[in-house]
Structure formats: structure tokens, C-alpha cells
Amino acid sequence: MDYFEQFRVKPDSKVKLEKIDAGFKNTHISAKSARKETEEQVEKMRELQYLMYAEGKRSLLICLQGRDAAGKDGTINHVLWAMNPQGCKVQGFKVPSAEEAAHDFLWRYHKSVPSKGQVTIFNRSHYEDVLVVRVHNLVPKSVWSKRYEQINNFEKMLTDNGTHILKFYLHIDADEQLERFKARIDDPTKHWKISDSDYSERPHWDEYTKAFENMLRKCSTDYAPWFVIPSNHKWFRNLAISHIINTSLESLKMKFPEPKVDINEIRSRYHEIVNRENGN
Ligand code: AMP
Ligand code: MG
């Protein structure tokens, strides 16, 4: 299966989340049957990230969005696990601080985009400003409705400057969210993850659906695509995302940089040292 094309939102296409099966798992029956394929993808991702770091010319920005308990943290564990920590960073976004709120809405995100050779994962992103902000009328419609175009322009500027962008919407259904809330209650090591907002946002499910669908429709572009990832099965989500990252990084045709030294000359100097130290 071509994961990239299968889950990509075509620019300007209408997405109906209700019609997308959040429990989709392709031909796999279980985590176990997908393990080998996932391991291969993770290994490939490791090699491609190393190449990006070595090349030092381009960067990758991954944006994660989804409802509460959709699996943003789990995805980060999965993706980061594959990567060299020297070339990778995670940036989460909470309710804006006073300083952040005193600037234009993109300011805090722009400050955190990856530098050349680096991968940055946004745990929530500039899309919060057309999601939670829209659902709760934190600014008037006349303000948030202009943001889709502003976001597209921002992302175009980033991609024109060598930042590759991939955006993943982690799609879970309402039953799965409740199950995950229950798992959090039942497991004391997950209590810290429970927040009031999980429960206060749930009644706004349909308004969020509309906001997500609008975001997907208006902001999936050729240069910065959105992907809707079926995420009821965590292992399938991980598999799909690693496939997409790999397809996308491979298309960049990155190359190791030319050596900064003359390798033949260095080789003969190496042999000189070895000979001298061996007393020859
Ligand atoms: P979490 O990621 O679960 O730790 O929660 C972060 C909280 O910050 C969520 O409830 C988000 O909706 C909220 N948040 C993130 N960005 C914004 C924003 N731009 N405006 C208002 N709330 C935000
Ligand atoms: Mg949360």
C-alpha cells in the first residue's frame, strides 16, 4: 500500500471524518503481524534522519494534532526513538503565555521551527489557533477565519527556505477516546496525564470535528500536506507515520556532503603515522 497517497488529504478536498475508519489496519491483523515491517521502517527512518543531519541543508517539521488521548505523546516516543537526539527536538504548545499572547499568533511557532539538518516535532502547533481558539471563540470569527491563508503563507515561506513539512491528524473515534480515558483512570502511572480539559472538551466533539475538517480542507497543500492517520490502533498509527516520513524524506534525494579533505592524501598520512609508530 502507498501509505503516503492513501492518507494524504488532497488540496481543497472535503474531508468527512465520520466516514474515515479510525480502526483501519490494512492487511495486518495485530501489532505482532506488523512488527517486522515497522522495525524495517524505523531503521530506514534512522538512516534518513542521519543523512539529513549530515547533509545539513534541509530540515523537517512534523506537526501533530488530534483530540485528547489521540496519541500525540505515543507518536513522539515512536518517532524519536528512531532518531539521533542530536538532530531532533520536540516542542509542545500550551495555552499561550502573556508574552506569546502579546505577539502575532505565529510568533511562538516560528521561533521553534527546525534549523538546517534538524527535525522538530510540534506537539500541537499553529493549528491550535484555528481549533481550540475557534471552538471557544477566543478571538472573533473575523480574526480566526483569516488564519488559514496566513498559515498557508507561513508554511510556503518555510518550505521555500528548505523546511520540509508533514502534518498528521491522529484520527480516533469517540468510543476509543472513552476507552483511553478509562485506561488513564485505571492506571496510576497515567493519572498525571488526566486534565480537566479532556472532560470539558468532549461535549464539543462535533464542533471540533468541524474545525478539524476545515483545517484539513483549507490547509492541506502540495508543499505542506495533511495526513489523516487511523489511530485507534497505536501500532498501525506508528507504522503508517513511519512509512509516510520515509517516503517523503526519500523524495528529497539527500546526499552525504563531499568530504572537506582530500581522502587520498589523508589516507597516505594515516599510513605514514602507522609506519612511524611501528618503527618502520
Ligand atoms: P496538553 O497538550 O494536553 O498538555 O494541553 C495543552 C492545552 O493547551 C490544550 O488544552 C490546548 O488546547 C491548549 N492550547 C494550545 N495552544 C493553544 C492556543 N493557541 N490557544 C489556546 N489554548 C491552547
Ligand atoms: Mg491533554
Side-chain angles (χ1 to χ4, degrees):
M1 189 173 93
D2 181 349
Y3 285 82
F4 190 97
E5 280 309 313
Q6 175 84 18
F7 299 126
R8 183 171 70 97
V9 177
K10 316 298 176 274
D12 218 23
S13 66
K14 255 195 177 149
V15 180
K16 275 270 156 237
L17 288 175
E18 233 172 49
K19 298 215 169 104
I20 302 177
D21 177 11
F24 181 77
K25 44 189 174 171
N26 198 16
T27 53
H28 289 292
I29 43 174
S30 65
K32 202 166 164 218
S33 80
R35 187 170 304 146
K36 187 163 171 288
E37 190 182 332
T38 307
E39 279 169 8
E40 284 163 10
Q41 289 304 314
V42 164
E43 191 48 43
K44 205 183 219 181
M45 196 155 58
R46 193 192 310 278
E47 288 164 16
L48 286 162
Q49 186 238 344
Y50 181 67
L51 185 53
M52 175 169 265
Y53 184 65
E55 191 197 52
K57 283 189 180 159
R58 284 168 281 198
S59 59
L60 174 64
L61 173 62
I62 296 173
C63 298
L64 296 179
Q65 290 290 165
R67 301 177 195 267
D68 296 306
K72 297 185 285 293
D73 294 337
T75 303
I76 290 168
N77 282 340
H78 173 77
V79 175
L80 273 192
W81 173 69
M83 295 189 176
N84 170 0
Q86 283 205 95
C88 189
K89 193 177 87 174
V90 180
Q91 181 67 52
F93 296 98
K94 310 272 182 193
V95 177
S97 67
E99 191 191 18
E100 289 168 346
H103 287 81
D104 70 88
F105 81 102
L106 288 171
W107 181 74
R108 65 172 180 161
Y109 307 104
H110 197 177
K111 279 204 303 188
S112 294
V113 302
S115 55
K116 292 185 195 319
Q118 298 282 320
V119 177
T120 297
I121 304 178
F122 278 4
N123 183 357
R124 303 184 187 270
S125 67
H126 39 297
Y127 287 95
E128 288 293 323
D129 293 85
V130 289
L131 292 168
V132 63
V133 168
R134 168 178 170 159
V135 169
H136 292 289
N137 299 307
L138 301 180
V139 299
K141 181 173 183 187
S142 59
V143 174
W144 62 251
S145 63
K146 291 201 185 91
R147 289 184 173 169
Y148 299 96
E149 194 187 342
Q150 290 162 352
I151 287 174
N152 286 343
N153 290 337
F154 171 60
E155 292 180 353
K156 181 79 171 75
M157 183 277 292
L158 292 178
T159 47
D160 284 349
N161 284 281
T163 299
H164 201 60
I165 303 176
L166 297 172
K167 303 175 296 197
F168 298 108
Y169 171 69
L170 309 181
H171 180 46
I172 56 168
D173 55 35
D175 291 345
E176 179 65 21
Q177 189 189 49
L178 267 195
E179 267 180 42
R180 292 188 185 185
F181 284 173
K182 178 156 193 322
R184 285 182 178 183
I185 294 168
D186 292 344
D187 178 352
T189 70
K190 288 186 175 167
H191 284 175
W192 68 276
K193 283 194 163 199
I194 302 175
S195 71
D196 264 351
S197 70
D198 295 350
Y199 291 84
S200 56
E201 296 307 283
R202 173 107 179 160
H204 297 286
W205 183 277
D206 292 340
E207 294 151 80
Y208 270 103
T209 302
K210 207 169 148 202
F212 282 127
E213 287 173 349
N214 253 268
M215 159 195 98
L216 294 166
R217 178 178 186 179
K218 295 187 172 168
C219 297
S220 191
T221 54
D222 288 329
Y223 50 89
W226 268 110
F227 299 86
V228 176
I229 306 294
S231 299
N232 277 6
H233 300 288
K234 296 169 182 171
W235 57 268
F236 183 77
R237 169 202 77 202
N238 293 342
L239 176 67
I241 289 181
S242 22
H243 266 292
I244 293 168
I245 292 175
N246 288 337
T247 303
S248 168
L249 289 182
E250 273 172 348
S251 76
L252 295 181
K253 306 261 178 275
M254 294 181 287
K255 286 196 181 70
F256 284 108
E258 291 298 317
K260 296 188 192 78
V261 292
D262 177 345
I263 295 293
N264 284 332
E265 201 230 348
I266 289 290
R267 191 174 286 122
S268 62
R269 274 166 62 190
Y270 167 82
H271 287 301
E272 267 170 39
I273 289 174
V274 172
N275 287 339
R276 194 179 325 121
E277 293 185 4
N278 286 341
N280 296 330

